[in-house]
Amino acid sequence: MSTVATPAISRFARPDDAPVGWAVSPGLIAYDAALTAMEAHAAAIARGEADEMVWLLEHPPIYTAGVSAKLDDLISPDRFPVFKAGRGGQFTYHGPGQRVAYVMLDLRARGRDARAFVAALEAWVIDALADLGVVGEIRCGRVGVWVERPGPGAAAQEDKIAAIGVKLRHWVSFHGISLNAAPDLSHYDGIVPCGISDHGVTSLADLGAPHDMATVDAALLTAFERVFGPTVRTVPPPSP
């Protein structure tokens, strides 16, 4: 079993405590439209023309390829639309029942530390999962948040419940995290998720801890404020 790692940071707030915009989109948002809107908002933050924002949404079923994606890990290329994401990481899945959070933060105001930022994202997800009754952990050499569950015999099984993939441009972040609340887990069969074939994927519902998306969002909001600082409700970035 891989070594358990503890997030290296539990707080990543701005010194001025300026609130982060917290936006939630109802329904399913097309990936290409969301990507364009997210990148435009991140660019506006870099120019000093927009405030930081976390944008929560769900996508229709899609596969996305990060900059390290390997073609062989796309097992069923015709199953769902495939998009090049431009974020770090490999192939992942997005779809209904999965909460995606696009995190657009200005790291110039938060210490310009990319590793500390990723550790803060991990701490955020683990904190939110704890509020939802699930123990999340990170693993050395494996990106994302994992849960340990009983396996065959005395063995333990490790499954991924949340993916993390971010990009920085001019020290402003975009992309972010995806947390499995109750997606159709069979949709992951068309890829090797994040290039890892030795472990599976899971969800809150699969773990016997079902929560509606409003409850998941409330846990994410509370945990985010503990790690990153205050938030203020706002509207999503305009779609093209």
Side-chain angles (χ1 to χ4, degrees), residues 31 35 39 63-73 82-92 94 143 164-169 174-175 192 194-195:
Y31 183 78
L35 188 64
E39 290 189 341
Y63 296 133
T64 66
V67 295
S68 301
K70 301 174 182 177
L71 188 57
D72 289 347
D73 288 343
V82 180
F83 293 91
K84 291 185 177 179
R87 54 161 173 78
Q90 302 185 44
F91 279 106
T92 192
H94 295 312
V143 179
I164 296 174
V166 293
K167 186 174 179 65
L168 298 177
R169 184 177 293 156
F174 52 108
H175 296 284
V192 178
C194 301

Side-chain angles (χ1 to χ4, degrees), residues 1 3 41 51 55 65 68 71 76 85 92-93 99 112 115 132 144 162 167 181 183 193 199 211 235 239-240:
M1 183 177 299
T3 303
H41 191 84
D51 295 328
W55 181 18
S68 301
L71 188 57
S76 303
T92 192
Y93 165 77
R99 179 50 91 204
R112 298 177 185 252
R115 289 191 178 186
L132 295 167
K167 186 174 179 65
H199 303 278
H211 295 282
V235 297
S239 298

Side-chain angles (χ1 to χ4, degrees), residues 191-211:
I191 57 172
V192 178
C194 301
I196 298 173
S197 58
D198 296 336
H199 303 278
V201 291
T202 189
S203 67
L204 293 171
D206 183 51
L207 292 169
H211 295 282

Side-chain angles (χ1 to χ4, degrees), residues 14-224:
R14 295 172 60 115
D16 61 6
D17 235 18
V20 176
W22 189 266
V24 182
S25 287
L28 301 179
I29 307 301
Y31 183 78
D32 50 354
L35 188 64
T36 300
M38 172 182 60
E39 290 189 341
H41 191 84
I45 294 172
R47 295 192 302 268
E49 299 171 359
D51 295 328
E52 294 179 311
M53 178 185 290
V54 174
W55 181 18
L56 274 60
L57 65 156
E58 292 175 84
H59 289 306
I62 59 166
Y63 296 133
T64 66
V67 295
S68 301
K70 301 174 182 177
L71 188 57
D72 289 347
D73 288 343
L74 182 60
I75 299 169
S76 303
D78 300 323
R79 186 170 185 179
F80 299 124
V82 180
F83 293 91
K84 291 185 177 179
R87 54 161 173 78
Q90 302 185 44
F91 279 106
T92 192
Y93 165 77
H94 295 312
Q98 180 194 75
R99 179 50 91 204
V100 172
Y102 289 132
V103 183
M104 294 162 273
L105 298 184
D106 189 348
L107 269 62
R108 296 170 299 186
R110 296 173 183 267
R112 298 177 185 252
D113 190 330
R115 289 191 178 186
F117 173 54
V118 173
L121 293 174
E122 293 168 341
W124 169 33
V125 174
I126 289 170
D127 205 8
L129 286 172
D131 288 346
L132 295 167
V134 170
V135 176
E137 299 175 331
I138 58 175
R139 293 290 186 267
C140 292
R142 281 192 255 141
V143 179
V145 177
W146 301 77
V147 295
E148 187 175 302
R149 57 202 304 192
Q157 176 179 329
E158 294 176 354
D159 291 335
K160 194 172 195 176
I161 193 168
I164 296 174
V166 293
K167 186 174 179 65
L168 298 177
R169 184 177 293 156
H170 305 300
W171 285 106
V172 175
S173 68
F174 52 108
H175 296 284
I177 65 107
S178 58
L179 173 62
N180 288 342
D184 185 338
L185 295 178
S186 71
H187 289 178
Y188 281 91
D189 295 345
I191 57 172
V192 178
C194 301
I196 298 173
S197 58
D198 296 336
H199 303 278
V201 291
T202 189
S203 67
L204 293 171
D206 183 51
L207 292 169
H211 295 282
D212 60 29
M213 200 62 82
T215 302
V216 172
D217 289 351
L220 286 169
L221 175 60
T222 299
F224 182 89

